[in-house]
Amino acid sequence: MNDLTLIGEQILDLSPRGALLTCDTQMEVGQELLISFRAPWRGPDVVALGEVTRVVEGWRLGDPGYCAGMRFIDLAREHRRELSERLAHLPVVLASRRHPNDYAQSVRAIAMGCC
């Protein structure tokens, strides 16, 4: 029985730890994925098991559309090293939105007299 379904065809962001994928299918956090791609600059074919850690619904200004952020669960050591080397000279992609305020941390800092 073949349970493989193509969920998307484009990687928007890639690191040795995970990827952001465009999706044509609804995804859920915790869902496992099998991802297959060619490493940048005619690198080796990579097949890895991943887990969805974030779903971008595409509603917010600046969202690239419906996407799933995934972390690699099982990526061969040589592929992780190859990706690190091939991506090392590229600029780091900065978050498009600022992180939410950590109000609990602010209260702790005030209580400690730090602010």
Side-chain angles (χ1 to χ4, degrees), residues 1-50:
M1 185 168 137
N2 183 357
D3 289 355
L4 298 178
T5 302
L6 181 65
I7 62 156
E9 297 184 27
Q10 187 176 16
I11 295 175
L12 300 176
D13 192 7
L14 178 64
S15 81
R17 296 179 305 166
L20 179 64
L21 316 167
T22 61
C23 297
D24 300 325
T25 303
Q26 185 174 350
M27 304 303 297
E28 294 181 21
V29 172
Q31 190 171 353
E32 287 190 353
L33 303 172
L34 184 65
I35 183 171
S36 174
F37 62 94
R38 175 162 286 195
W41 298 281
R42 298 184 186 192
D45 291 327
V46 176
V47 177
L49 183 63

Side-chain angles (χ1 to χ4, degrees), residues 26 54-67 97:
Q26 185 174 350
R54 178 174 162 239
V55 175
V56 177
E57 298 287 343
W59 300 333
R60 296 180 179 151
L61 184 64
D63 281 353
Y66 191 82
C67 305
R97 294 189 304 265

Side-chain angles (χ1 to χ4, degrees), residues 54-102:
R54 178 174 162 239
V55 175
V56 177
E57 298 287 343
W59 300 333
R60 296 180 179 151
L61 184 64
D63 281 353
Y66 191 82
C67 305
M70 61 162 290
R71 70 178 177 92
F72 295 132
I73 296 173
D74 186 15
L75 177 64
R77 182 175 294 154
E78 62 270 12
H79 287 148
R80 190 176 306 272
R81 186 178 55 249
E82 185 84 22
L83 283 175
S84 292
E85 291 171 3
R86 288 175 178 273
L87 298 173
H89 69 281
L90 294 175
V92 174
V93 176
L94 300 175
S96 59
R97 294 189 304 265
R98 65 182 182 88
H99 292 285
N101 292 330
D102 184 348

